[in-house]
């Protein structure tokens, strides 16, 4: 069945947004903000930082829109900008310290079915991972980057990326096991992988 | 039997095991189960959902985009779908629209004003423009219209001055009153035919002129 067009195409939206059109920018934001926010939130490991990083990512993207030539999909292009913005912001942050406070109990996850309890524990374990491991695990296992792409993005070798990934997976496994054990002790619903 | 450590098992999620590792996993239920658990963990990470930004995220971003000049409200031409038109053509179109508005306003406010815009005849030059059959011919027609507009508005001012004195029709308050009237009439017309590009174009042209005149009035506290 032929799809009925109900608004401007994505390429039209991009052209208008590049020209500063408020409605076009809002439509792009509505369409892609959950994806942008998800990746920067996981890299940041913190809601307040995530909001700053997401905003920075959007500013960079809108500023760079006139240079978007459509060689890659817009979502991919935007995602790369978001990842780079979050990673650079973390690197530049001189005041960033290892988080000592309690991690948020719940990350606002968009409803999409699946095991919400499992997702919450994964998010919590991700937040608690050391930064170096976390960024590689997120880029590889969550976002699907190759080790070569991670190497280019982080300025490390693909061997380093692999090594960090295996450590991160192992650490995640330990933390999830511990979280599961704690949940069982407290009488909460048990979950295990 | 010595078990494989977790890091090795984590590697085997997506890499081929060495022969001795494969042999161990085939024999050791504990390591086999642990490998499956790490595989499941990796699959679960891949299917993590998107995350909604917190409330107020858009408002913060919007404020910053505006403060950095990266976002503005749709311009008058964009609102009527002319954003992709070359700038000179937009300027010429505005000039033609304004000329039409000025003519209509003069007729509507004169004692012999027709009862409706439908009574106005299309100028012969406009009819000529409408017959252009190529982009080049249409562009030439628009350039001619632009030149005609400049000549016509100059003549219009000269006639106003010679017939009614220097101030008539040229002081900002008189112009503002005329534009208010035109805005009211054209808004009513657009309400009757909201999809009509000509009426929309005419309205935005009038509103733009009214805005510019209002600023002029405001900037001349002692215009009188």
């Amino acid at each position: 069945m032929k799809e009925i067009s109900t608004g401007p195409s994505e390429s039209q939206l991009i052209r208008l947004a590049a020209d500063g059109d408020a409605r076009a920018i809002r439509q792009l934001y509505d369409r892609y903000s959950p994806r942008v926010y998800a990746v920067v939130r996981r890299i940041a490991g913190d809601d307040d930082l995530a909001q700053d990083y997401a905003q920075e990512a959007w500013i960079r993207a809108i500023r760079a829109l006139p240079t978007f030539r459509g060689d890659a999909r817009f979502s991919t292009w935007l995602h790369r900008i978001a990842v780079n913005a979050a990673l650079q912001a973390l690197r530049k942050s001189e005041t960033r310290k290892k988080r000592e406070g309690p991690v948020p109990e719940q990350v606002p996850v968009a409803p999409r079915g699946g095991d919400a309890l499992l997702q919450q524990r994964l998010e919590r374990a991700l937040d608690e991972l050391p930064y170096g491991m976390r960024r590689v695990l997120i880029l590889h296992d969550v976002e699907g980057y190759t080790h070569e792409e991670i190497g280019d993005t982080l300025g490390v070798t693909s061997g380093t990326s692999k090594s960090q990934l295996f450590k991160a997976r192992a650490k995640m496994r330990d933390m999830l096991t511990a979280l599961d054990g704690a949940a069982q002790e407290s009488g909460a619903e048990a979950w295990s992988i | 039997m010595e078990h494989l450590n977790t890091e090795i098992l984590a590697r085997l999620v997506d890499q081929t095991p060495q022969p001795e590792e494969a042999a161990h996993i085939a024999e050791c239920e504990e390591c086999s189960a642990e490998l499956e658990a790490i595989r499941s963990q990796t699959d679960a990470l891949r299917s993590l959902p998107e995350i909604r930004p917190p409330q107020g995220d858009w408002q913060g971003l919007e404020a910053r985009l505006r403060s950095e000049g990266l976002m503005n409200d749709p311009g008058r031409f964009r609102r009527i779908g002319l954003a992709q038109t070359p700038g000179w053509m937009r300027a010429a179109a505005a000039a033609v629209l304004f000329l039409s508005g000025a003519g209509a306003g003069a007729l509507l406010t004169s004692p012999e004003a027709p009862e409706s815009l439908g009574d106005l005849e299309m100028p012969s030059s406009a009819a000529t423009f409408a017959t252009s059959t190529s982009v080049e011919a249409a562009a030439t027609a628009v350039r001619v219209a632009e030149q005609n507009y400049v000549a016509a508005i100059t003549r219009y001012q000269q006639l106003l001055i010679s017939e009614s004195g220097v101030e008539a029709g040229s002081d900002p308050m008189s112009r503002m009153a005329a534009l208010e009237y035109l805005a009211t009439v054209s808004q009513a017309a657009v309400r009757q035919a909201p999809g009509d590009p000509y009426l929309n174009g005419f309205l935005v042209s009038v509103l733009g002129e009214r805005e510019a005149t209002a600023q002029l009035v405001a900037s001349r506290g002692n215009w009188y």
Side-chain angles (χ1 to χ4, degrees):
Chain A
M1 190 168 67
K2 191 174 179 181
E3 192 175 324
I4 298 170
S5 172
T6 55
S9 68
E10 182 160 282
S11 59
Q12 287 172 323
L13 276 181
I14 291 166
R15 267 205 309 275
L16 288 170
D19 202 25
D21 185 292
R23 280 178 297 189
I25 293 173
R26 179 62 196 257
Q27 284 188 51
L28 289 176
Y29 173 86
D30 287 343
R31 196 174 291 180
Y32 293 110
S33 61
R35 186 158 185 227
V36 167
Y37 191 76
V39 69
V40 300
R41 169 64 182 78
R42 289 179 183 127
I43 289 174
D46 174 275
D47 284 320
D48 291 336
L49 286 177
Q51 219 172 336
D52 291 345
Y53 296 172
Q55 191 175 100
E56 181 60 29
W58 278 104
I59 295 287
R60 285 190 194 189
I62 300 300
R63 198 178 281 144
L65 264 184
T67 68
F68 176 71
R69 293 179 302 171
D71 296 338
R73 287 171 59 192
F74 177 72
S75 58
T76 307
W77 180 82
L78 179 62
H79 187 266
R80 292 294 163 115
I81 289 178
V83 167
N84 286 332
L87 290 172
Q88 284 176 17
L90 269 182
R91 271 199 294 266
K92 284 180 184 172
S93 173
E94 292 179 357
T95 56
R96 196 183 86 80
K97 296 174 183 172
K98 286 187 177 177
R99 290 176 306 287
E100 293 168 357
V103 293
E105 284 298 314
Q106 290 191 340
V107 172
V109 174
R112 208 182 68 175
D115 188 336
L117 182 61
L118 163 62
Q119 287 164 0
Q120 281 179 17
R121 292 193 181 178
L122 283 171
E123 298 282 8
R124 187 169 177 187
L126 273 177
D127 284 352
E128 290 180 347
L129 266 186
Y131 169 62
M133 291 183 197
R134 188 172 75 241
R135 59 182 190 172
V136 172
L137 187 73
I138 289 167
L139 292 180
H140 190 278
D141 282 359
V142 181
E143 303 297 337
Y145 280 42
T146 65
H147 288 293
E148 286 71 26
E149 289 171 328
I150 293 171
D152 289 344
T153 304
L154 301 181
V156 298
T157 65
S158 60
T160 301
S161 171
K162 285 178 187 172
S163 164
Q164 288 282 73
L165 176 67
F166 304 147
K167 287 183 198 302
R169 282 176 179 167
K171 182 90 175 165
M172 276 289 280
R173 173 68 187 144
D174 292 345
M175 286 194 298
L176 287 169
T177 305
L179 279 172
D180 193 39
Q184 283 179 352
E185 278 179 21
S186 67
E189 186 183 348
W191 167 79
S192 62
I193 282 181
Chain B
M1 177 165 51
E2 190 175 344
H3 293 298
L4 298 176
N5 70 39
T6 319
E7 263 186 66
I8 291 174
L9 292 170
R11 169 168 59 78
L12 300 185
V13 167
D14 43 22
Q15 289 198 357
T16 310
Q18 301 294 325
E20 62 275 17
E21 292 167 344
H24 177 83
I25 289 168
E27 290 177 7
C28 177
E29 284 185 14
E30 199 174 326
C31 284
S32 177
E34 190 66 8
L35 175 57
E36 275 313 301
I38 301 174
R39 281 205 175 111
S40 299
Q41 165 191 302
T42 306
D43 290 342
L45 282 171
R46 275 202 187 107
S47 55
L48 276 177
E50 295 175 340
I51 302 174
R52 280 193 303 269
Q55 282 195 333
D57 185 67
W58 165 251
Q59 284 75 12
L61 174 62
E62 183 183 22
R64 196 167 155 206
L65 285 167
R66 286 188 191 282
S67 74
E68 299 200 13
L70 294 170
M71 188 166 92
N72 46 61
D73 288 314
R76 67 177 71 165
F77 290 104
R78 205 171 294 132
R79 276 200 295 268
I80 58 172
L82 297 175
Q84 308 308 319
T85 310
W88 66 267
M89 199 179 283
R90 296 206 303 260
V96 172
L97 286 168
F98 178 65
L99 178 60
S100 306
L107 282 169
L108 285 168
T109 53
S110 74
E112 298 82 25
E115 289 187 1
S116 74
L117 287 174
D119 295 333
L120 291 173
E121 286 184 12
M122 180 185 277
S124 59
S125 54
T128 306
F129 301 154
T131 61
S132 300
T133 53
S134 70
V135 173
E136 193 178 345
T140 303
V142 173
R143 280 195 289 273
V144 170
E146 187 179 12
Q147 290 165 357
N148 285 343
Y149 164 71
V150 173
I153 202 72
T154 305
R155 181 64 184 149
Y156 175 59
Q157 279 184 320
Q158 288 171 345
L159 287 171
L160 276 176
I161 291 167
S162 65
E163 289 180 8
S164 311
V166 175
E167 293 296 328
S170 60
D171 72 83
M173 287 305 288
S174 299
R175 193 159 189 271
M176 187 71 192
L179 286 166
E180 282 289 358
Y181 185 80
L182 272 180
T184 304
V185 171
S186 52
Q187 279 166 340
V190 166
R191 273 197 293 275
Q192 284 188 12
D196 188 303
Y198 177 82
L199 292 177
N200 276 284
F202 181 59
L203 174 59
V204 293
S205 179
V206 169
L207 293 178
E209 287 301 321
R210 186 182 67 174
E211 188 181 338
T213 306
Q215 287 174 358
L216 185 65
V217 170
S219 68
R220 290 188 186 181
N222 59 345
W223 59 270
Y224 48 86

